[in-house]
Amino acid sequence: MAQSRQHKVTAAAFGYLSPTLVLLAVLMALPIGMVVWYSLQNNVITNANPEFIGFEHYLDIFGDSQFHAAIKNTSVFVLASVVAHLFLGLGFAMLLNTQLLPHWVKTLFRTIFVLPWLLTVAIVAVLWRLILNPSGVFNYLLVSTGVIDSPQEWLADPKLALFAVVLINIWCGYPFFMISMLAGLQGISAELYEAASVDGAGLIRKFFSITLPQLRPIIISMLLLDIIWTSHQFTLIWMTTGGGPLDRTELLSTYTYKLAFSQYMFSAASASAVVVLVISAVLAFAYVRHQRARD
Amino acid sequence: MATLGVAALAAGCGASGGGASEGGDVTIEFMQWWEPELPDGEFAALIEQFEEENPGIDVELLSGPYASIKDQVIAGSASGTMPDVLGLDGAWVHDFATQGSIADLSAAMSDAGYDDSQLAAQVQVDGSTRMIPVVNFAYPMFVNNELLAEAGVEVPTTRSEFMAAAQAVTDSGSGAAGFIAALGLEKPNGINIDIMPWTWASGGTMLSDEGGPAVNNEDVTSTVDFIKQMWDAGVIAPGGLTMAEQDKVEEFTNERVAMMVSSLAHINLIRENSPDLDFSVVPLPVEDGYTGESGVRYASWGIGMSANSEHPEESWKLIEFLMSEGANGQLSALANGFPGNANVTPDFTESDPLFEDAFTIWEAGYPVSEFTGLPLADELMRVFDEELQQVLAEDKPVDEALGNIQTEWEGIF
């Protein structure tokens, strides 16, 4: 009797969940399954009779020098962006949380600091193309203050392009870190700092012994999420450099896009996308484990 | 992954466009990027005229910017949901034809008893017409008269004169560069617009007699050498390696560059953004000593039909209407282009005088657009662009770069 009731409860729960489960299956599982299946065929979409070829596309991709460049650039792009997001986000959050500044100053800074987050990536790309133009305001400021001798082609110089897109990504990505850190900082009990003061701890000691340990769960979560998001960045790169000059800003996302929509090699592009999916899945798994451990 | 996922879903949900409405009328879909580029309401009025002349056929216009139309057409081709009639770029034709997603217009013309001698051009793949150019846009050279005058030089007619003029402008202290090339990889059409026209203007080609790749021939080598020479001399505007076509036009409009190769379609834009700019359109300079006819690069608003259309006859009627003398003349006048119907003489009475100058250049030369109809045309340009960037930025030898392009192109062909 009790078992039958339990079955009914379980069936009712699945009944309520079924619209979501159907949506997840149609919008997530099915496309992912199709892309994985595509990656195992010689070519799809442009080929009416695709043939199963196993892991051939994966072997081709792993041997492609452009893929190696994309992996290298993506690693640099992600690492530099995430580290900068962390330090800037934490720094600005601490500034906004300090008791040393009057309230109106903090409100002003909060508004200014959060501005990049309000702009869509397309607007950010257009804005920074203008700013970093050889005749743009960035060069003007640097030349007029004597930092550089002559205007630089920030986005078009092979030696500077990756640095330039990292700079733009840092600018548009730090506010989310900042807001999350600020929320974390505001959740730290003031009593901890008071007790530390009584024990004679200075500012630096308080930062390393109270602030950082208290923020640790948020920092780890944010780092994992930011790595996943940054490694998927496409629009910003596509709209500023298109992966060039040469292959200096080619990321996994632009590499995959070009395979699909420039070369119409949808199966090879699917294989590349699956590689990105696996990397993201590992990070997502780490994130979920971390969240569970927190709970 | 997300984009591919959407493409995957689209591929699994195939259904043909168009349909029959309740009154028994046939509705055909027409997807193109033309409407947003024409004065408000003008294209819709033209389509209304077609509907009045062809009772029982309704046209649903699906309009959007060029880039978005391209992605939608590719997705439609994959899923079998292409609109009945669609605007085409010559660079897409070969790929769609080999995928079997665009119809054989030769057969449609034959079925309809259409006299194709009135068509100025037809784009064919394997002997069958797949695209008809509706309006053509020539790409002459734009020169800023004021900057040339300040530098004390005349409009150049040969490459050596051009080099000297570009150098004079760059050295004049105006802050402007002599020439500009948009070689960004996002859309690598700079090869088609800024680089190869130098070869075509001097009667050269990048193809063999059989239509295969011959990109490492003397004609192209000489062009790339010339571009490299300009690059090393610092007369090409900075930032070109990630620049897009619109950036190039903006640099010219803002008087930061004296000369560029561009579409006539940009004349109105330049006039609108900089009404006082004193500029002309002139023929592209030729190799020193060349006296033959010049090839003039052009791009087209092409039209084609879905191979899966449920209403091929009605679709053809729309194409026939747009290629008729009246409608085609009207459309090309609205677009400031040259008509696809050979019997139409463009009416310049209400146009900018520069269009008449451009028409003179167009008539003096021969139209050329070698990338049109080639397989994976965008990819061919990308391969060329990537190698050219290495020549310019990393001093890769021109012969080696062109050899690499030739090898890659042979693989694609």
Side-chain angles (χ1 to χ4, degrees):
Chain A
M1 188 70 178
Q3 202 175 5
S4 164
R5 188 178 298 156
Q6 183 59 39
H7 281 310
K8 277 184 183 169
V9 170
T10 309
F14 274 106
Y16 286 122
L17 283 173
S18 59
T20 310
L21 292 176
V22 169
L23 275 177
L24 277 176
V26 172
L27 297 177
M28 297 278 290
L30 182 63
I32 289 174
M34 287 178 79
V35 168
V36 172
W37 176 239
Y38 281 177
S39 72
L40 302 173
Q41 295 175 291
N42 59 348
N43 202 9
V44 290
I45 297 179
T46 55
N47 181 359
N49 302 303
E51 286 170 19
F52 183 83
I53 56 161
F55 291 95
E56 212 169 288
H57 285 307
Y58 291 90
L59 296 175
D60 288 345
I61 281 176
F62 289 135
D64 184 359
S65 61
Q66 289 225 318
F67 180 73
H68 300 159
I71 288 274
K72 187 177 138 240
N73 294 337
T74 306
S75 307
V76 173
F77 182 75
V78 170
L79 195 70
S81 298
V82 171
V83 169
H85 284 162
L86 172 64
F87 282 105
L88 279 178
L90 184 58
F92 288 149
M94 290 181 68
L95 182 70
L96 296 177
N97 196 47
T98 182
Q99 303 300 317
L100 303 174
L101 292 174
H103 185 68
W104 71 268
V105 175
K106 286 197 283 185
T107 307
L108 179 70
F109 276 129
R110 188 175 291 141
T111 311
I112 294 170
F113 288 159
V114 88
L115 269 180
W117 201 27
L118 304 180
L119 304 174
T120 62
V121 182
I123 302 286
V124 169
V126 172
L127 195 67
W128 276 92
R129 279 183 73 103
L130 292 172
I131 292 172
L132 296 179
N133 188 290
S135 324
V137 68
F138 195 61
N139 272 318
Y140 173 77
L141 287 175
L142 293 182
V143 171
S144 56
T145 52
V147 177
I148 54 175
D149 297 331
S150 57
Q152 298 291 316
E153 301 175 55
W154 297 101
L155 289 167
D157 186 330
K159 295 187 190 79
L160 299 172
L162 187 57
F163 164 76
V165 290
V166 167
L167 177 75
I168 302 171
N169 194 54
I170 291 170
W171 183 82
C172 64
Y174 79 81
F176 187 62
F177 246 90
M178 181 188 77
I179 298 286
S180 305
M181 295 293 174
L182 184 58
L185 284 172
Q186 287 171 346
I188 301 175
S189 168
E191 289 169 4
L192 291 174
Y193 291 107
E194 285 165 15
S197 299
V198 171
D199 290 343
L203 284 175
I204 295 174
R205 183 63 193 270
K206 282 182 197 169
F207 176 75
F208 283 106
S209 299
I210 299 173
T211 310
L212 272 188
Q214 291 291 314
L215 287 178
R216 191 170 164 271
I218 298 177
I219 290 175
I220 293 175
S221 300
M222 291 302 301
L223 282 177
L224 287 169
L225 284 176
D226 201 30
I227 290 172
I228 295 172
W229 291 335
T230 309
S231 63
H232 290 180
Q233 183 60 271
F234 169 77
T235 316
L236 182 68
I237 302 296
W238 195 246
M239 293 192 69
T240 50
T241 62
L246 307 170
D247 56 5
R248 298 301 191 271
T249 62
E250 188 86 286
L251 302 192
L252 284 171
S253 54
T254 53
Y255 174 81
T256 305
Y257 181 86
K258 283 177 187 171
L259 280 177
F261 292 99
S262 181
Q263 299 178 38
Y264 304 133
M265 291 166 62
F266 287 95
S267 284
S270 298
S272 174
V274 170
V275 172
V276 177
L277 174 71
V278 169
I279 296 169
S280 302
V282 170
L283 290 166
F285 180 69
Y287 174 72
V288 171
R289 274 196 68 174
H290 176 256
Q291 290 298 99
R292 275 195 185 159
R294 271 183 70 187
D295 296 341
Chain B
M1 187 78 186
T3 315
L4 286 167
V6 171
L9 269 185
C13 307
S16 67
S21 65
E22 281 178 12
D25 288 356
V26 165
T27 300
I28 52 174
E29 292 177 343
F30 180 18
M31 183 184 278
Q32 33 60 47
W33 65 94
W34 312 345
E35 190 181 20
E37 297 191 13
L38 292 169
D40 271 351
E42 297 284 5
F43 192 60
L46 202 60
I47 295 301
E48 270 173 35
Q49 186 189 330
F50 167 77
E51 289 172 334
E52 279 166 20
E53 289 175 14
N54 294 273
I57 306 178
D58 293 330
V59 179
E60 187 184 342
L61 285 178
L62 307 171
S63 307
Y66 173 89
S68 124
I69 293 292
K70 185 190 173 189
D71 286 348
Q72 288 181 51
V73 170
I74 291 173
S77 169
S79 60
T81 55
M82 263 193 176
D84 301 278
V85 183
L86 64 159
L88 286 174
D89 184 316
W92 315 338
V93 174
H94 189 280
D95 306 314
F96 291 148
T98 44
Q99 287 165 27
S101 52
I102 52 175
D104 175 359
L105 296 180
S106 301
M109 287 188 274
S110 164
D111 291 347
Y114 183 76
D115 171 19
D116 67 353
S117 65
Q118 60 190 297
L119 300 178
Q122 300 179 46
V123 177
Q124 298 191 323
V125 176
D126 297 333
S128 300
T129 300
R130 302 288 178 160
M131 178 188 117
I132 298 173
V134 181
V135 182
N136 300 308
F137 300 94
Y139 280 68
M141 194 170 77
F142 286 55
V143 295
N144 181 318
N145 299 324
E146 221 165 283
L147 286 175
L148 288 197
E150 272 176 34
V153 287
E154 298 285 320
V155 171
T157 56
T158 63
R159 286 188 190 174
S160 57
E161 285 177 16
F162 185 87
M163 182 70 193
Q167 192 72 65
V169 170
T170 307
D171 296 342
S172 68
S174 63
F179 181 61
I180 190 163
L183 299 173
L185 291 169
E186 180 196 349
K187 194 170 187 306
N189 59 354
I191 297 301
N192 199 6
I193 297 173
D194 302 311
I195 307 300
M196 286 311 299
W198 291 94
T199 302
W200 298 325
S202 299
T205 176
M206 60 180 200
L207 301 175
S208 65
D209 292 341
E210 295 77 34
V215 77
N216 53 350
N217 64 20
E218 279 180 20
D219 302 334
V220 185
T221 306
S222 147
T223 296
V224 177
D225 276 335
F226 175 61
I227 299 290
K228 172 68 174 162
Q229 204 186 332
M230 287 203 286
W231 179 272
D232 289 343
V235 303
I236 298 183
L241 298 190
T242 50
M243 203 176 271
E245 191 182 0
Q246 64 269 26
D247 301 320
K248 180 182 76 176
V249 178
E250 197 179 298
E251 292 289 289
F252 182 83
T253 308
N254 292 327
E255 301 192 62
R256 287 199 285 264
V257 66
M259 295 175 276
M260 69 167 180
V261 183
S262 195
S263 166
L264 290 183
H266 292 137
I267 289 179
N268 288 348
L269 184 72
I270 296 170
R271 291 270 189 240
E272 205 174 295
N273 293 339
S274 184
D276 299 328
L277 188 69
D278 176 17
F279 69 102
S280 314
V281 293
V282 299
L284 202 64
V286 296
E287 260 188 296
D288 295 54
Y290 179 74
T291 53
E293 226 182 346
S294 279
V296 182
R297 195 256 155 174
Y298 76 98
S300 304
W301 286 357
I303 199 164
M305 240 165 70
S306 165
N308 297 325
S309 172
E310 288 175 3
H311 311 293
E313 283 175 27
E314 290 80 1
S315 299
W316 171 253
K317 276 187 180 170
L318 177 61
I319 296 174
E320 194 174 338
F321 168 78
L322 290 170
M323 296 311 300
S324 64
E325 288 187 29
N328 194 250
Q330 207 178 328
L331 186 58
S332 50
L334 286 170
N336 289 318
F338 301 142
N341 185 314
N343 300 334
V344 176
T345 307
D347 178 8
F348 297 113
T349 46
E350 290 180 24
S351 304
D352 190 302
L354 292 184
F355 287 106
E356 198 157 3
D357 297 345
F359 193 63
T360 312
I361 298 168
W362 176 255
E363 289 212 301
Y366 59 92
V368 56
S369 181
E370 288 196 323
F371 282 101
T372 295
L374 296 187
L376 293 177
D378 269 354
E379 183 59 15
L380 297 177
M381 291 180 225
R382 187 178 303 284
V383 168
F384 197 136
D385 202 351
E386 285 171 353
E387 289 290 333
L388 179 63
Q389 290 202 357
Q390 291 184 52
V391 169
L392 300 179
E394 298 190 329
D395 293 326
K396 189 174 195 174
V398 172
D399 287 343
E400 187 188 335
L402 292 178
N404 292 345
I405 300 169
Q406 176 71 11
T407 309
E408 291 248 12
W409 279 24
E410 281 169 0
I412 293 171
F413 272 66

